[in-house]
């Protein structure tokens, strides 16, 4: 992943082992991380590896 | 008795730092009693604000900073904050945080602790935590991280005595940068509990409210649709009681009619729902960012803003001020007082400082600017705008930008100059340059937009569509071309969406007041100055030469009356002033519809104003500023000429 983007996602509290919620896929991906909703474009979202827990 | 305490005290420097959109500016305003613009989206503050205050006999200097995601971030606004922390060695870092997002907060705290400065953590937005059932044990957290932790609600002032108590704290934070997965979750477990917030509203009530809002929006839209289909509309029905007429009272009646037919049906239920039901806010936030529901919401929002600014502000308020106050009282009064002669001509003549300069500024432009800023501040504070960035991301990507650029672009509709500074939130140099060019080229500021709206109500919808279509197309084309030829890459779209909130009227009023004052200070002197220059040139018979010089372009290429040349000259100072001149000409029947379309398109694409020019120099350097200005001037005229030729060629009758 682009280190710059990684840093920015880290700033939202998005680091390995965190539980996030996928809220929307179009027109942008939107995830909820803690109480923050973050919009990500597809190319960024595709680099976030997740395991479905629920 | 003389006191030995009079030695000059160096104020303690307190720097407010935190993630974007957590309320740093609100805390700053409260601590210093100095108002700084507060909005509900990340990136409102792009520069430092300093304020002094004397609290309990001690002097403090507070510094408000742009929000940061991390200490070593890349965008220019965040750089400002990093620099201040590193270079100014603050006596205290006051980290302001959103209590709802404790994980993010602590990640930043850990980074700040590396700076080895005393730190206090203010967990703001306590009201929203309570509403959502989030409870934080501030004392336990304070023990863990080794610095004072206070919980605050900046807009009410809750928790501020505790902040003041800790302003002299010398405690250093004990967190340090281990991999966060090892300590963050453990701290969160220990200090934070979440339960279901108190539910004052049931699902059914939220559904009812939603239905009322949708119904209101439909009533609002039916005013257009019904008129088009020949069906009865609320607006039409009200015409029986509120007969509009040419008189001042008629204008006032028309205003009431507009408010009742267009604004109240949709705004009343919406405001009520926003204020009383947090579940509705959440739901609206989802609707607004989804494509299928977001587009209809955008249509209604645009229409409401148009009714408020284009109709209520640009038509009715302008009418009341211009025909009522200026033409009705002020000008005749002055005419009676000032005897004919040079002074009379200077103040009240064809290029009179009062009859033209002040009248344009106060009677035509000010009502529009004020009504626009009220509507716009509301949109800003509601948290709606970042959702539009989500909807428009794919479009902006074609122009070498991403959805984040939507924020400076839409701010440009308020004031292009302020918006040019906001391009700092964009993450690459290339994006900043493209956004700066597009803002200068084709985003009309509120003053100009209002004048445009004033003109287009007199011409056909087709002509209106041609003007806006041409301008939007140019934004797109220029963006597309610049994104290809400029070196560099666009950055990835990553944007935080704030919660939807009920805007506080006090903040809207303060913000609008601040912006109107700014307009009066910034634009009005230029309006008068421009008129004075015209007057002098006219007296010295130089105006004729100037006009003759640009004649080939104005009358030849664009096929406009030669008086338009003076209007374009005004446009060099401020394009809204130029547009106001066109407005005046159009109203006096000096322009055909085709000429209105061509001249208005050129004026909209023109360089914005002198203030903007200086800001572009500051942000992009002298060379770029001149290149941008030269490009835009030529481009605007070229597009106008092409448009004129195209209309002639097709033989379009407008």
């Amino acid at each position: 992943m682009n280190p710059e983007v990684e840093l920015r996602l880290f700033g939202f509290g998005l680091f390995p082992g965190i539980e996030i919620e996928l809220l929307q896929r179009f027109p942008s991906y939107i995830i909820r991380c803690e109480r923050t909703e973050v919009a990500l474009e597809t190319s960024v979202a595709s680099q976030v590896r997740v395991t479905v827990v629920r | 008795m003389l006191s030995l305490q009079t030695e000059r005290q160096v104020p303690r420097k307190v720097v407010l730092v935190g993630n974007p959109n957590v309320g740093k500016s609100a805390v700053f305003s409260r601590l210093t009693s100095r108002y700084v613009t507060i909005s509900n989206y990340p990136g409102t503050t792009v520069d430092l604000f300093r304020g002094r205050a004397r609290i309990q006999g001690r002097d403090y200097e507070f510094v408000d900073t742009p929000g940061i995601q991390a200490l070593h971030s890349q965008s220019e606004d965040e750089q400002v904050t990093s620099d201040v922390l590193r270079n100014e060695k603050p006596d205290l870092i006051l980290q302001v945080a959103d209590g709802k997002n404790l994980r993010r907060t602590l990640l930043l705290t850990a980074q700040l602790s590396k700076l080895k400065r005393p730190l206090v953590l203010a967990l703001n937005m306590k009201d929203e935590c309570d509403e959502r059932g989030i409870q934080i044990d501030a004392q336990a957290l304070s023990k863990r991280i080794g610095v004072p932790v206070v919980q605050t609600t900046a807009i009410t002032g809750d928790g501020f005595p505790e902040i003041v108590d800790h302003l002299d704290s010398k405690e250093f934070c004990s967190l340090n940068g281990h991999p966060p997965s090892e300590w963050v979750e453990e701290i969160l477990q220990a200090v934070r509990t979440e339960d279901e917030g108190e539910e004052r509203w049931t699902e059914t009530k939220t559904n009812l409210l939603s239905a009322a809002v949708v119904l209101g929006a439909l009533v609002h839209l039916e005013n257009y649709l019904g008129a088009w289909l020949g069906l009865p509309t609320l607006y039409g029905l009200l015409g029986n009681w509120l007969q509009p007429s040419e008189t001042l009272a008629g204008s006032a009646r028309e205003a009431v009619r507009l408010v009742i037919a267009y604004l109240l049906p949709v705004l009343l239920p919406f405001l009520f729902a926003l204020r009383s039901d947090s579940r509705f806010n959440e739901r609206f936030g989802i609707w607004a960012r989804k494509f299928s529901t977001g587009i209809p919401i955008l249509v209604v929002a645009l229409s409401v803003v148009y009714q408020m600014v284009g109709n209520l502000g640009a038509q009715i308020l302008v009418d009341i001020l211009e025909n009522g106050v200026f033409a009705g009282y002020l000008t005749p009064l002055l005419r009676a007082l000032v005897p004919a002669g040079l002074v009379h001509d200077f103040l009240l003549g064809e290029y009179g400082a009062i009859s033209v300069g002040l009248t344009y500024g106060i009677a035509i432009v000010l009502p529009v600017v004020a009504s626009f800023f009220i509507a716009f501040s509301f949109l800003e504070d509601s948290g709606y705008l970042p959702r539009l960035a989500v909807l428009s991301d794919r479009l902006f990507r074609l122009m070498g930008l991403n959805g984040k650029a939507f924020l400076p672009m839409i701010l440009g509709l308020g004031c292009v100059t302020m918006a040019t500074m906001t391009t700092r939130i964009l993450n690459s140099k290339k994006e900043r340059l493209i956004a700066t060019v597009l803002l200068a080229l084709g985003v009309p500021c509120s003053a100009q937009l209002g004048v445009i709206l004033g003109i287009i109500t007199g011409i056909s919808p087709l002509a209106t569509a041609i003007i806006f279509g041409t301008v939007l197309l140019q934004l797109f084309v220029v963006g597309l071309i610049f994104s290809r030829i400029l070196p560099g890459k666009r950055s990835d779209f990553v944007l935080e969406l704030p919660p939807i909130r009920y805007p506080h009227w006090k903040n809207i009023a303060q913000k609008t007041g601040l912006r109107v004052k700014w307009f009066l200070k910034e634009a009005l002197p230029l309006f008068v100055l421009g008129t004075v220059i015209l007057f002098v040139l006219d007296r010295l018979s130089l105006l004729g030469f100037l006009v003759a010089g640009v004649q080939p372009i104005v009358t030849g290429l664009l096929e406009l009356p030669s008086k338009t040349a003076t209007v374009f000259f005004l446009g060099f100072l401020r394009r809204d002033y130029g547009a106001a001149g066109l407005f005046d000409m159009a109203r006096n029947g000096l322009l055909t519809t085709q000429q209105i379309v061509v001249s208005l398109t050129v004026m909209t694409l023109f360089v914005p104003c002198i203030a903007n020019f200086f800001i572009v120099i500051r942000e992009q350097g002298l060379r770029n500023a001149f290149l941008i200005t030269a490009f835009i001037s030529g481009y605007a005229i070229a597009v106008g000429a092409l448009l004129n030729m195209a209309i002639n060629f097709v033989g379009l009758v407008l």
Side-chain angles (χ1 to χ4, degrees):
Chain A
M1 183 183 265
N2 176 349
E4 211 176 83
V5 174
E6 197 175 339
L7 192 72
R8 254 195 295 167
L9 294 186
F10 182 81
F12 290 112
L14 209 75
F15 50 79
I18 289 306
E19 200 173 294
I20 59 171
E21 204 179 328
L22 178 63
L23 302 175
Q24 174 178 317
R25 287 169 195 266
F26 184 83
S28 305
Y29 274 73
I30 294 189
I31 56 168
R32 177 157 40 219
C33 175
E34 217 174 350
R35 296 285 172 142
T36 311
E37 287 185 15
V38 186
L40 309 170
E41 71 173 85
T42 318
S43 67
V44 176
S46 66
Q47 296 175 67
V48 180
R49 201 160 296 171
V50 293
T51 330
V52 179
V53 289
R54 235 177 291 168
Chain B
M1 196 180 79
L2 280 172
S3 148
L4 290 175
Q5 283 184 317
T6 46
E7 58 177 299
R8 267 206 88 73
Q9 197 190 51
V10 182
R12 253 175 90 78
K13 186 176 285 181
V14 179
V15 177
L16 282 70
V17 184
N19 291 125
N21 210 33
V22 296
K24 291 175 294 298
S25 297
V27 172
F28 176 83
S29 288
R30 201 162 265 283
L31 286 170
T32 58
S33 319
R34 183 185 158 189
Y35 183 76
V36 282
T37 308
I38 301 165
S39 301
N40 182 19
Y41 58 88
T44 308
T45 309
V46 291
D47 212 342
L48 299 175
F49 282 94
R50 293 169 194 273
R52 293 203 171 198
R54 200 179 171 82
I55 300 170
Q56 295 177 352
R58 239 194 126 129
D59 286 322
Y60 293 93
E61 180 188 351
F62 294 98
V63 187
D64 188 21
T65 62
I68 50 172
Q69 296 291 4
L71 206 45
H72 17 258
S73 307
Q74 62 303 81
S75 73
E76 211 143 325
D77 56 333
E78 298 183 45
Q79 198 63 49
V80 170
T81 306
S82 305
D83 288 350
V84 117
L85 288 173
R86 293 216 168 82
N87 303 338
E88 296 202 12
K89 298 262 176 237
D91 296 303
L92 180 75
I93 295 176
L94 176 56
Q95 186 192 351
V96 182
D98 177 355
K100 304 194 298 297
N101 290 303
L102 201 51
R103 185 187 294 135
R104 281 180 80 177
T105 301
L106 291 175
L107 289 174
L108 186 60
T109 313
Q111 294 183 353
L112 291 173
S113 77
K114 285 186 208 150
L115 296 170
K116 301 281 175 238
R117 310 302 309 166
L119 191 132
V120 168
L121 176 59
L123 297 174
N124 196 24
M125 303 195 189
K126 182 169 186 302
D127 53 343
E128 291 191 349
C129 288
D130 292 344
E131 221 170 73
R132 288 164 177 73
I134 301 172
Q135 288 196 344
I136 298 165
D137 186 342
Q139 271 186 333
L141 182 58
S142 172
K143 257 191 211 117
R144 292 258 172 170
I145 65 176
V147 294
V149 178
V150 295
Q151 290 182 283
T152 57
T153 307
I155 46 163
T156 61
D158 186 24
F160 273 68
E162 285 84 13
I163 292 189
V164 168
D165 285 345
H166 294 298
L167 280 179
D168 294 329
S169 168
K170 302 255 179 332
E171 309 283 351
F172 288 80
C173 177
S174 54
L175 278 181
N176 51 45
H178 292 307
S181 40
E182 284 176 15
W183 53 266
V184 169
E185 300 309 309
E186 190 243 336
I187 293 185
L188 291 184
Q189 285 289 326
V191 304
R192 183 175 70 180
T193 54
E194 286 184 60
D195 52 46
E196 288 297 306
E198 45 166 328
E199 290 287 355
R200 289 184 298 132
W201 289 71
T202 63
E203 190 82 25
T204 328
K205 278 183 189 157
T206 308
N207 288 340
L208 280 175
L209 279 179
S210 308
V213 171
V214 173
L215 191 70
L218 291 177
V219 171
H220 172 88
L221 292 177
E222 206 269 341
N223 282 310
Y224 302 100
L225 201 66
W228 190 53
L229 293 172
L231 296 170
T233 62
L234 185 53
Y235 181 73
L237 292 174
L238 287 167
N240 296 334
W241 291 289
L242 298 159
Q243 211 51 254
S245 64
E246 294 294 303
T247 62
L248 214 54
S251 295
R253 275 201 296 272
E254 177 64 13
V256 174
R257 190 175 159 196
L258 273 180
V259 169
I260 298 179
Y262 281 97
L263 299 181
L264 289 188
V266 54
L267 285 184
L268 271 188
F270 182 62
L271 289 178
F272 179 73
L274 269 192
R275 192 190 166 93
S276 54
D277 184 7
S278 59
R279 201 179 346 214
F280 174 84
N281 293 7
E282 218 169 282
R283 193 182 280 184
F284 181 77
I286 296 170
W287 286 353
R289 63 165 155 72
K290 268 191 177 161
F291 193 73
S292 54
T293 42
I295 298 296
I297 289 177
L298 175 62
V299 169
V300 176
L302 280 178
S303 165
V304 168
V305 173
Y306 168 72
Q307 289 300 335
M308 275 185 75
V309 182
N311 234 344
L312 208 57
Q315 297 298 312
I316 295 163
L317 275 181
V318 167
D319 192 42
I320 292 174
L321 269 176
E322 202 194 5
N323 295 330
V325 179
F326 273 79
Y329 298 96
L330 214 58
T331 323
L333 182 75
L334 286 169
R335 287 233 159 94
L337 287 176
V338 185
L342 190 66
V343 180
H344 177 275
D345 289 352
F346 178 74
L347 291 177
L348 303 159
E350 196 189 350
Y351 304 108
I354 292 177
S355 60
V356 177
L358 271 190
T359 310
Y360 279 10
I362 292 185
I364 299 181
V365 179
L366 181 66
V368 175
V369 173
S371 51
F372 179 85
F373 280 144
I374 293 175
F376 192 72
S377 305
F378 182 87
L379 288 178
E380 278 188 331
D381 290 8
S382 67
Y384 176 58
L385 299 180
R387 283 158 175 87
L388 290 180
V390 170
L391 293 184
S392 60
D393 174 48
R394 280 164 193 266
L395 193 65
F396 276 105
R397 276 195 241 162
L398 293 173
M399 299 189 263
L401 301 164
N402 70 46
K404 215 171 168 183
F406 177 82
L407 290 172
M409 288 304 192
I410 193 91
L411 274 170
L413 289 178
C415 168
V416 175
T417 309
M418 292 185 200
T420 302
M421 281 176 68
T422 308
T423 58
R424 286 182 191 180
I425 67 169
L426 303 181
N427 297 68
S428 78
K429 274 214 158 65
K430 177 180 179 177
E431 288 169 300
R432 292 197 61 198
L433 184 58
I434 294 179
T436 306
V437 171
L438 295 187
L439 275 169
L441 178 72
V443 180
C445 70
S446 57
Q448 201 197 2
L449 192 67
V451 183
I452 295 175
L453 292 176
I455 301 178
I456 60 170
T457 42
I459 60 179
S460 65
L462 177 65
T464 309
I466 291 178
I467 298 173
F468 281 110
T470 309
V471 172
L472 282 176
L473 187 69
Q474 299 325 312
L475 283 182
F476 192 73
V477 169
V478 170
L480 202 70
I481 294 173
F482 272 52
S483 73
R484 296 292 134 86
I485 59 171
L486 288 177
K489 269 181 67 180
R490 74 169 177 88
S491 60
D492 295 309
F493 177 55
V494 177
L495 183 71
E496 177 181 354
L497 303 183
I500 295 285
R501 298 191 174 112
Y502 176 77
H504 287 262
W505 291 111
K506 202 179 142 204
N507 191 46
I508 290 184
Q510 264 174 327
K511 202 151 54 166
T512 307
L514 202 73
R515 286 166 167 172
V516 166
K517 216 165 87 186
W518 184 85
F519 170 80
L520 290 176
K521 224 173 69 185
E522 193 78 23
L524 216 50
L526 277 180
F527 276 43
V528 176
L529 178 72
T531 325
V532 170
I533 294 176
L534 277 188
F535 174 79
V536 173
L537 288 177
D538 184 43
R539 278 290 143 147
L540 299 175
S541 312
L542 285 173
L543 199 57
F545 283 112
L546 269 181
V547 172
V550 291
Q551 201 84 326
I553 293 176
V554 175
T555 54
L557 206 53
L558 300 173
E559 296 183 320
L560 299 170
S562 57
K563 187 172 190 273
T564 331
T566 56
V567 172
F568 279 129
F569 172 77
L570 295 178
F572 262 114
L573 284 177
R574 284 182 64 89
R575 62 181 173 189
D576 50 326
Y577 191 15
L582 292 178
F583 183 44
D584 213 26
M585 285 179 69
R587 251 186 339 185
N588 293 323
L590 296 174
L591 296 171
T592 66
T593 306
Q594 182 171 344
Q595 287 173 332
I596 292 179
V597 169
V598 172
S599 59
L600 211 52
T601 306
V602 174
M603 192 61 82
T604 308
L605 292 174
F606 223 48
V607 281
C609 62
I610 292 201
N612 183 67
F613 181 65
F614 285 124
I615 290 287
V616 175
I617 292 179
R618 206 181 77 185
E619 303 283 313
Q620 296 282 347
L622 199 61
R623 186 173 152 267
N624 273 358
F626 273 111
L627 285 177
I628 290 173
T629 306
F631 165 74
I632 288 175
S633 309
Y635 194 81
I637 292 168
V639 169
L642 279 176
L643 180 64
N644 190 44
M645 275 192 257
I647 296 175
N648 285 340
F649 183 73
V650 182
L652 206 57
V653 181
L654 295 165

